[in-house]
Amino acid sequence: MTTKTTAKTTTMTKTTTTRTPADFYYSDYWGMTEAPSTSPHSAGRIEQETGFLTALCNAAGGDGTASKVERDHIFGMASVKGYTPEAIAQINALADAAESKTIEEMAADAKKAMSIGTLRFAVGSIVFESIKAASKDGLEEKEKETIFCIAEIMGVSKERVEAMMEIVAEEEELKKKRIAACIPNHPCLAPEYK
């Protein structure tokens, strides 16, 4: 685009920025400048993404069943975060395995995750996303126990976990208010939001 002004020509360059869904998610939701698994601080993308997904699947399967709605949430979250197809392809296997794990095995998984790349800095978001995933079909007592165990291993206090559980519930209520105010009659709304 060129603009002519008195006695000189000014050239303006149009800049376009390619933003991915992951860029949006990390920036808008968490205030980050880059995706942790693609950061130079990462230990290895697949390993890091699998560590994060294992925690979510363990929380979802903590009651003995990782339901379709919980799995769908984990798939969606991983897709939006820009996880690799290889990591995403492991979700069902991780969720199936979680259904029969003991709390001790889940605790060992949490401890292992703490040693992977930037995951040690993401413990709060791991616990938070675990709560969100497990809440998709109602947060069962066994799932809460699993989440508290994972959190304790990761150094997150019970009080912080309880605060996160409140935030997850508040976000769901805010979502309902947003839908009611903005798109109350949209034909694509899920039944629980109509």
Side-chain angles (χ1 to χ4, degrees), residues 16-133:
T16 56
T17 304
T18 304
R19 303 264 307 161
T20 66
D23 293 332
F24 177 80
Y25 171 81
Y26 284 109
S27 173
D28 191 64
Y29 201 76
W30 293 109
M32 294 183 179
T33 58
E34 63 184 327
S37 64
T38 60
S39 157
H41 307 289
S42 175
R45 187 164 183 183
I46 296 292
E47 185 182 12
Q48 193 157 310
E49 291 172 353
T50 302
F52 197 102
L53 292 171
T54 298
L56 271 60
C57 290
N58 283 347
D63 62 352
T65 304
S67 70
K68 179 181 179 339
V69 70
E70 289 169 327
R71 291 171 191 241
D72 286 349
H73 175 81
I74 296 168
F75 274 108
M77 186 266 331
S79 296
V80 167
K81 288 178 74 168
Y83 277 19
T84 60
E86 296 85 358
I88 291 171
Q90 295 180 51
I91 293 171
N92 276 327
L94 292 170
D96 289 344
E99 292 177 336
S100 60
K101 283 183 184 176
T102 65
I103 197 81
E104 292 80 15
E105 291 170 314
M106 292 180 188
D109 288 343
K111 188 171 185 164
K112 179 182 175 193
M114 292 298 299
S115 68
I116 303 171
T118 60
L119 289 184
R120 68 185 179 279
F121 301 109
V123 294
S125 66
I126 292 170
V127 173
F128 186 77
E129 291 290 354
S130 295
I131 295 165
K132 285 181 77 167

Side-chain angles (χ1 to χ4, degrees), residues 6-19:
T6 50
K8 70 177 187 176
T9 302
T10 306
T11 304
M12 299 174 74
T13 306
K14 194 174 183 181
T15 305
T16 56
T17 304
T18 304
R19 303 264 307 161

